Amino acid sequence: MLVESPPEQRAETAPAPPTRRAVRAFGLLVAVAILVLVALASIAIGAKELSLGQVWHGLFEDSGTYGDVVVAERLSRTVLGLLAGAALGLAGAVLQALTRNPLADPGLLGINAGASAAVVTAITYFGVTSLSGYVWFAFFGAAAVGALVWFLGGSRGATPVRLALAGTAISAALYGYLQAVMIMDEAALGKMRFWTVGSLASATDSTITQVLPFLLTGTVLALALARPLNAMAMGDDTAKALGADLNRTRALSMLAATVLCGAATAACGPIVFVGLMVPHVVRSFTGPDLRWILPYAAILSPVLLLGADVLGRIVARPSELQVGIVTAILGGPVFIFLVRRRRTAQL
């Protein structure tokens, strides 16, 4: 005869439900696995069709054949996509937390406009024609605009609204300057057309080497800001009570976003919507905790960027569609959906 255990004993022996922390950690591992698959697809799939044997040969043997050269180019392109995607995702997440606006992106503070204006100036007035030259002008243009937005937004007294307004005003002025210069200088227009669209096609080992220190620095800084930004999300008074230094946190957040977005834009050109879409989607299943939003954004943003790049290579064979165009096409409807959903939630 079976004797039933008392309820208390059954409760003690029953397996405990997985904690939310464990679920998030498992989800992070799944995201990493997806990123690996997309990165492999980025190496294997391109405008030029190669067999898996040619791809394998190009990755692990060095014989100098055409297929090997193509694979080497795709490998550099994939690495840059991984780095730039992570940078844009982290920059977007930090700016959304800083401005307390879930629809903010790196373009909100004029960083993309600063990089673009600097490259136009380099081409038109300094005769710069190489991508390595674009990188440095674009990065310093982004950094200068980031500093100007911080100053106009009130510096130590900066608020999310002031920063957003300053960034919007500076962006409008710089894009006006950019268009005027490109209309007056046809040579600059021809050279800028490719860069302003946003592309990974010109990725080289040299480009990666130049921007890597900035991307690593910005990544470490952004991840370190998770706790103070979490405190600021509860309001300035609560954040102060918890010991957060509001001015320092805002200044470091601006610095992290500028370094990340500036370096990514310098290497690839201005790529829109990645820094907007991914952090917003991530927040829907991680909650508002930036200790989880930032790692997820750093992993899933390259998934979006590389996935869009692979799609652009497939749909326009034997040519290709630049990744900046693909993300804009995908991001437009998503942005409208997010705005409408946010408006419905507020009604």
Side-chain angles (χ1 to χ4, degrees):
M1 180 176 177
L2 295 175
V3 179
E4 225 179 282
S5 303
E8 294 81 2
Q9 186 176 348
R10 289 203 304 271
E12 289 176 1
T13 57
T19 64
R20 189 169 185 180
R21 183 185 182 90
V23 172
R24 287 169 171 170
F26 177 74
L28 208 58
L29 294 177
V30 173
V32 171
I34 295 172
L35 178 59
V36 171
L37 292 176
V38 174
L40 292 175
S42 177
I43 297 172
I45 301 172
K48 170 65 178 178
E49 293 191 43
L50 298 177
S51 67
L52 291 179
Q54 286 177 302
V55 173
W56 180 270
H57 191 274
L59 283 174
F60 299 105
E61 299 182 32
D62 185 17
S63 63
T65 65
Y66 176 74
D68 297 342
V69 173
V70 171
V71 171
E73 291 175 353
R74 290 183 190 172
L75 184 60
S76 296
R77 185 171 183 164
T78 301
V79 172
L80 183 60
L82 291 170
L83 295 173
L88 292 172
L90 285 171
V94 168
L95 288 176
Q96 288 174 13
L98 175 65
T99 60
R100 297 175 192 165
N101 180 0
L103 298 180
D105 76 328
L108 180 68
L109 297 185
I111 296 172
N112 287 346
S116 299
V119 172
V120 166
T121 301
I123 292 172
T124 305
Y125 299 110
F126 297 99
V128 178
T129 57
S130 66
L131 181 63
S132 59
Y134 294 170
V135 167
W136 290 106
F137 274 92
F139 178 76
F140 285 118
V145 169
L148 183 59
V149 168
W150 175 249
F151 174 76
L152 295 178
S155 189
R156 295 183 64 84
T159 64
V161 174
R162 287 181 180 177
L163 291 173
L165 289 175
T168 302
I170 292 173
S171 292
L174 288 177
Y175 278 125
Y177 163 76
L178 188 151
Q179 294 299 324
V181 172
M182 290 175 66
I183 289 173
M184 292 186 296
D185 189 342
E186 292 185 5
L189 175 61
K191 295 172 184 176
M192 280 292 298
R193 255 186 327 188
F194 185 78
W195 187 85
T196 53
V197 168
S199 173
L200 299 175
S202 299
T204 63
D205 293 342
S206 174
T207 303
I208 295 170
T209 302
Q210 289 180 64
V211 300
L212 183 59
F214 299 104
L215 294 175
L216 292 178
T217 302
T219 298
V220 172
L221 182 56
L223 294 175
L225 288 168
R227 287 183 181 275
L229 284 173
N230 275 343
M232 286 179 58
M234 294 184 285
D236 290 356
D237 293 337
T238 304
K240 289 178 181 178
L242 293 173
D245 187 326
L246 301 184
N247 291 326
R248 183 178 65 181
T249 301
R250 286 175 180 146
L252 291 177
S253 297
M254 278 288 298
L255 177 62
T258 299
V259 170
L260 288 169
C261 186
T265 303
C268 310
I271 297 175
V272 297
F273 286 119
V274 174
L276 164 67
M277 288 191 291
V278 176
H280 192 87
V281 171
V282 164
R283 194 179 296 105
S284 67
F285 59 82
T286 64
D289 191 346
L290 282 159
R291 292 174 299 177
W292 290 101
I293 292 175
L294 292 175
Y296 266 102
I299 294 171
L300 292 179
S301 294
V303 171
L304 173 61
L305 187 60
L306 288 177
D309 192 40
V310 172
L311 181 61
R313 300 180 215 173
I314 295 173
V315 298
R317 280 177 174 169
S319 184
E320 65 178 70
L321 201 60
Q322 304 306 321
V323 67
I325 297 174
V326 179
T327 57
I329 293 172
L330 296 175
V334 172
F335 182 73
I336 294 171
F337 169 75
L338 294 176
V339 171
R340 288 184 61 85
R341 191 178 70 169
R342 180 171 171 80
R343 181 181 177 185
T344 303
Q346 290 175 341
L347 293 177

